[in-house]
Amino acid sequence: MSEPGERMDETSENLRFFKVILSSIADGVFTVDSNRTITSFNPAAEKITGVPATKAIGRRCFEVFHSDICERGCFLEKTMKTGVVAIDQPVNIINSSGDKIPISISTAILRDDKGNILGAVETFRDLSTIEHLRKELKKNYSFEDIISKSPLIHKLFAILPDIAESESTVLIQGPSGSGKELFARAIHNLSPRKEGGYVIIDCGTLPTQLFESELFGYMKGAFTDAKHDKVGKLKGAERGTVFFDEIGELPLSTQVKLLRLLQQREYEPLGSNDSVSADIRIVAATNKDLRGLVAQGKFRDDLYFRLAVVKFDLPPLRDRREDIPYLVEHFIQKNNARRGKNIVSVSPEVMGILMRYDFLGNVRELENIIEYGFVVCRGSIIQKDHLPVELINVAGDTDSSRQSNITPVTQAIDEESHIREALAKCGNNQTRAARELGMHRTTLWRKMKQYGINPN
Amino acid sequence: MLLLRLEDMLKVAIPLYGDDIAPCFEAASNFIIATVNDSSEVSVTIAQCHEAEGVGRIRFIRDNGVGTLICNGIKDFYRGMLQADGVVVISNLGYPAREALNLYINGKFGDRPGKIIPSDYACGILLDDLLCWTKDIFENSGYQVKCGGDAGPFPIDLTAEIACPACHNPIRVAICCGAHMYRPDKEIQEFYHVAGSDYHARIYVHPESSEMSTCCHEFGIELLDPYTDPITNRKLFASGIPLLQNVIRGHEKAAGSKQRK
């Protein structure tokens, strides 16, 4: 039998072990008392929620997790009331930055030696990576997936739910890569038609002669190779949405066929005399100025007015530069999930270059740049060296002379004498001298060391 | 008779969860809608929002003519939508709802930003310069400094060690120079997680601002501002250990010995 002193040693040793175990696991773990006040919070919980333990302990769990189920049916409360544990239940929380984090939670009850309920424990796992991949796979995007801080886009957000709910045909105008398809999909996903199909027709790549057969389908014998009936793409969008991308590329001869579909909401498969009614909603997008094309006679005005019942323009990325940092973060997360890497961010220098760049290819170009960075970068931060060369050349680098390790001799002599003069003028006060020279104190300090200038 | 001018009135909405502010705006179904003037509430009603989706709550706020939303958790996306509609959003408040309303009327809450906007808080100093300066400051203060890969994993740039003036045991300090990322708040979080509890103190080197101070304070990290001269301000080091402000656990005597001096 062990002595009381030994037992105490054993208990404190166990406690120490548990602490180490809880600190080392990747799942968030926290405990609450019977009032749902947090009593412990492990490092993984801190990382997932963005809330340090010192701030979380003592607060009620719903004040920290901001979960969508806190009100509707808290699992911890249920576990404490009924003793029934929750296992791997999907839940969304909002972290300290205002981002939605999908997690799965499990709960268990905590009792003392006599069986009295002390509280409960919840373990939770960050599912952001899985959610990222799932969304990419299923293309199940919503408005919430559109990343923007721009007032221009937020104005659109304010009206888009109403647009989505209506049955009106929508025309989205914007330059290539500005996110037209994402908006179209979000309109569909938020509309009463979201359970129906969502079909994309890329008017830019669909050959004119195949337009009808692809869209409307055909009957056996309609043409030489029509060996059996084929259902058209429109059928797949029944009670759903058809997205006509790059509608401005549609030749005049095809426009008339689309016009009929828009006017009468019915079509005839090739080789059939029977009309098929189409219960579809149409969303179209273009990177061209359709009104201009109408004026040039390249786009039918009657089709234009049928399409532009509700019309909005997406601004190019250079007109909403405030979104660049947020998009960069999004693409880093996306690529981390896709490539199993753990890149944390980009350097301030890279961000500076991106903020100066004009992004003719818009958001898509930015995504490609980050993807390139992922291929080249071996560390945790995407640095300037990890950017495509042409981007650095175009964006320019005003700091290049400051960054360079190789200083031309004449420039160095000039610089050294300037520094000595400034220091003498300021009575060796480095802060004032740095201000005089237009550089930071730490830069002055480094240069003094480089040139062997004695601080005194 | 007291006549209240309509333009002096403001509608305030607070999502409810029992008597508290609801944890998640997007999921709340009951709201306090209070009409307030400069210094008091004029009317308070409880309204129900039957919408299933988060955007439905945006519509609800708009339809009720709300000018200020006081809430706890809110997704950045919805905050942006509301702000585009001209609604002031005061978030992350864990209070009883009535108390929050009274505090608001008494001018205790202002608008709070969502994420830190990177361009406003970027370090603005080259990483190499910041590293040199920090290393020099610590070495001149009597620390043994390790740099680069010897120091620790990213984003620990330097580790510094000094003997405690009271007990002479080593005190280990992890240092992160805040110029790796364009988002200092994220860098601070990363530093906090990487440095863990292996160090007696964690120092983040970055120009000071109220946001930086709050963020560092939240994570128990000391902020060292390269625009100050910490060596000449030795009296500031309440820990009794050079360059460290906070009293180190287990080394309280060092602070005491300094005070006695």
Side-chain angles (χ1 to χ4, degrees):
Chain A
M1 211 172 107
S2 58
E3 295 296 310
E6 278 176 38
R7 269 210 304 274
M8 222 148 80
D9 281 353
E10 205 179 305
T11 313
S12 65
E13 198 166 70
N14 281 345
L15 275 175
R16 228 182 23 250
F17 285 165
F18 280 128
K19 223 173 164 183
V20 172
I21 292 166
L22 284 177
S23 300
S24 63
I25 59 174
D27 283 1
V29 182
F30 71 97
T31 53
V32 291
D33 64 14
S34 51
N35 293 321
R36 285 201 281 161
T37 302
I38 296 174
T39 51
S40 71
F41 206 70
N42 81 335
E46 290 179 316
K47 196 160 191 174
I48 297 167
T49 59
V51 180
T54 47
K55 217 178 154 192
I57 292 170
R59 289 171 76 190
R60 282 171 300 172
C61 55
F62 61 83
E63 289 174 5
V64 173
F65 284 87
H66 310 133
S67 166
D68 50 2
I69 56 125
C70 290
E71 287 180 57
R72 292 174 193 156
C74 168
F75 285 112
L76 272 177
E77 197 175 28
K78 218 179 278 174
T79 300
M80 281 193 281
K81 269 186 187 159
T82 63
V84 178
V85 298
I87 296 168
D88 264 344
Q89 294 297 319
V91 163
N92 289 314
I93 61 167
I94 300 171
N95 72 5
S96 59
S97 303
D99 299 320
K100 186 170 87 178
I101 311 281
I103 58 171
S104 77
I105 66 169
S106 301
T107 60
I109 209 156
L110 293 173
R111 295 179 195 272
D112 65 11
D113 291 346
K114 290 169 188 157
N116 300 316
I117 295 173
L118 293 174
V121 58
E122 181 172 310
T123 59
F124 58 101
R125 185 165 294 175
D126 187 350
L127 301 179
S128 304
T129 305
I130 297 167
E131 181 69 9
H132 257 291
L133 295 172
R134 193 184 60 78
K135 273 203 167 145
E136 209 173 322
L137 205 66
K138 289 192 171 175
K139 305 272 182 213
N140 190 20
Y141 298 104
S142 70
F143 279 127
E144 296 181 32
D145 296 302
I146 301 168
I147 292 157
S148 182
K149 288 275 164 186
S150 158
L152 291 171
I153 298 285
H154 280 280
K155 288 277 176 209
L156 283 178
F157 284 163
I159 54 164
L160 274 175
D162 299 319
I163 294 173
E165 264 194 12
S166 75
E167 280 289 300
S168 307
T169 303
V170 179
L171 176 64
I172 307 169
Q173 292 196 132
S176 293
S178 58
K180 298 185 289 293
E181 211 256 301
L182 194 58
F183 270 80
R185 198 178 282 272
I187 288 173
H188 168 71
N189 286 341
L190 206 63
S191 75
R193 292 177 168 270
K194 65 181 172 196
E195 302 302 332
Y198 177 79
V199 170
I200 305 172
I201 312 284
D202 188 347
C203 304
T205 56
L206 196 63
T208 317
Q209 58 274 27
L210 293 183
F211 185 84
E212 265 186 289
S213 60
E214 283 291 306
L215 222 63
F216 306 143
Y218 53 80
M219 309 302 287
K220 184 180 171 185
F223 47 89
T224 319
D225 286 335
K227 301 272 189 316
H228 33 72
D229 295 354
K230 192 196 167 202
V231 173
K233 283 192 169 182
L234 285 187
K235 203 71 189 159
E238 197 58 20
R239 286 190 292 280
T241 308
V242 184
F243 174 52
F244 287 96
D245 200 6
E246 305 302 350
I247 193 95
E249 302 292 332
L250 216 55
L252 275 167
S253 57
T254 320
Q255 288 174 24
V256 68
K257 291 163 189 162
L258 187 59
L259 180 65
R260 191 183 160 222
L261 175 72
L262 276 161
Q263 279 173 333
Q264 297 167 3
R265 297 281 158 177
E266 57 178 36
Y267 60 90
E268 282 161 17
L270 280 177
S272 167
N273 293 323
D274 300 325
S275 292
V276 179
S277 67
D279 181 9
I280 52 170
R281 185 195 193 168
I282 290 173
V283 178
T286 180
N287 60 359
K288 295 202 165 151
D289 171 19
L290 275 198
R291 256 185 182 284
L293 290 181
V294 169
Q296 291 167 34
K298 291 180 179 165
F299 202 85
R300 294 180 65 105
D301 56 355
D302 43 7
L303 178 59
Y304 172 76
F305 289 113
R306 284 277 173 185
L307 287 171
V309 178
V310 175
K311 180 172 84 84
F312 61 85
D313 294 276
L314 291 180
L317 188 54
R318 65 178 172 276
D319 287 351
R320 49 181 184 114
R321 288 185 193 276
E322 62 270 46
D323 285 344
I324 293 171
Y326 300 95
L327 288 164
V328 166
E329 249 175 54
H330 169 73
F331 293 133
I332 285 175
Q333 280 177 19
K334 188 174 164 180
N335 278 288
N336 274 333
R338 197 195 280 171
R339 294 163 186 274
K341 278 197 166 187
N342 196 20
I343 285 178
V344 185
S345 190
V346 301
S347 72
E349 198 186 354
V350 166
M351 186 50 76
I353 291 171
L354 295 175
M355 291 297 275
R356 287 197 297 274
Y357 188 57
D358 271 346
F359 293 103
L360 293 177
N362 292 292
V363 182
R364 196 175 299 134
E365 186 177 6
L366 175 59
E367 183 172 10
N368 292 346
I369 289 167
I370 299 298
E371 196 168 334
Y372 178 90
F374 261 76
V375 172
V376 183
C377 177
R378 294 269 171 268
S380 305
I381 300 279
I382 297 178
Q383 308 281 0
K384 190 176 141 192
D385 300 346
H386 307 136
L387 296 179
V389 179
E390 62 273 17
L391 168 69
I392 300 168
N393 293 342
V394 175
D397 182 8
T398 50
D399 279 344
S400 57
S401 61
R402 283 179 68 202
Q403 309 274 340
S404 174
N405 291 326
I406 307 156
T407 315
V409 178
T410 46
Q411 191 189 329
I413 294 166
D414 265 5
E415 192 170 57
E416 186 185 342
S417 57
H418 272 125
I419 290 170
R420 285 186 190 279
E421 273 170 33
L423 281 166
K425 194 175 157 191
C426 301
N428 272 338
N429 183 318
Q430 289 176 38
T431 308
R432 274 170 46 208
R435 206 174 297 139
E436 177 93 15
L437 289 159
M439 60 175 72
H440 184 258
R441 223 161 57 93
T442 57
T443 311
L444 173 62
W445 180 90
R446 177 170 60 87
K447 288 185 185 290
M448 284 168 65
K449 205 159 188 175
Q450 183 187 335
Y451 297 127
I453 302 171
N454 189 329
N456 302 314
Chain B
M1 200 174 104
L2 181 68
L3 284 174
L4 289 165
R5 289 189 314 163
L6 204 59
E7 60 264 34
D8 293 337
M9 307 279 211
L10 174 73
K11 276 196 175 177
V12 179
I14 307 177
L16 279 176
Y17 173 47
D19 293 332
D20 291 312
I21 301 179
C24 178
F25 163 76
E26 300 86 285
S29 41
N30 292 319
F31 284 78
I32 283 183
I33 304 284
T35 307
V36 300
N37 66 10
D38 270 355
S39 56
S40 62
E41 66 183 51
V42 177
S43 71
V44 175
T45 55
I46 307 284
Q48 278 196 319
C49 175
H50 300 289
E51 305 264 5
E53 310 260 350
V55 276
R57 273 146 196 84
I58 305 293
R59 244 185 252 126
F60 172 82
I61 294 291
R62 195 198 302 158
D63 294 347
N64 277 284
V66 170
T68 298
L69 171 74
I70 297 172
C71 62
N72 196 338
I74 181 168
K75 210 182 156 221
D76 225 30
F77 172 82
Y78 294 114
R79 176 202 294 278
M81 276 182 93
L82 288 165
Q83 285 172 340
D85 263 358
V87 178
V88 173
V89 180
I90 303 169
S91 63
N92 286 322
L93 297 176
Y95 282 88
R98 288 300 312 216
E99 190 184 328
L101 181 62
N102 290 335
L103 287 167
Y104 172 74
I105 290 167
N106 292 321
K108 301 289 183 201
F109 301 139
D111 190 12
R112 293 177 176 199
K115 280 179 191 167
I116 292 178
I117 306 297
S119 55
D120 293 350
Y121 301 103
C123 179
I125 305 170
L126 291 180
L127 180 62
D128 283 350
D129 289 348
L130 207 57
L131 276 168
C132 286
W133 179 82
T134 310
K135 185 169 176 277
D136 189 54
I137 286 284
F138 273 83
E139 281 176 346
N140 287 341
S141 302
Y143 284 85
Q144 293 254 315
V145 179
K146 279 185 190 168
C147 325
D150 294 341
F154 174 85
I156 300 175
D157 293 307
L158 306 165
T159 52
E161 204 172 295
I162 195 167
C164 169
C167 67
H168 305 294
N169 284 330
I171 288 174
R172 281 164 50 78
V173 183
I175 305 158
C176 171
C177 293
H180 296 280
M181 296 189 203
Y182 69 96
R183 280 264 312 262
D185 59 330
K186 217 173 159 190
E187 195 167 49
I188 290 167
Q189 277 194 34
E190 193 68 21
F191 178 46
Y192 172 78
H193 294 300
V194 170
S197 52
D198 297 342
Y199 299 91
H200 293 96
R202 287 168 285 201
I203 298 226
Y204 184 67
V205 189
H206 193 282
E208 195 172 350
S209 68
S210 60
E211 288 79 8
M212 281 299 97
S213 304
T214 309
C215 195
C216 283
H217 179 73
E218 249 179 30
F219 287 93
I221 290 169
E222 289 195 35
L223 182 65
L224 186 63
D225 183 353
Y227 286 97
T228 61
D229 191 350
I231 294 182
T232 55
N233 291 331
R234 272 179 192 277
K235 62 179 188 302
L236 291 176
F237 308 132
S239 65
I241 296 154
L243 299 173
L244 303 183
Q245 189 68 257
N246 300 339
V247 175
I248 308 286
R249 236 171 105 183
H251 295 273
E252 292 83 359
K253 275 187 186 165
S257 67
K258 183 199 168 236
Q259 274 163 16
R260 276 196 299 279
K261 275 179 203 168

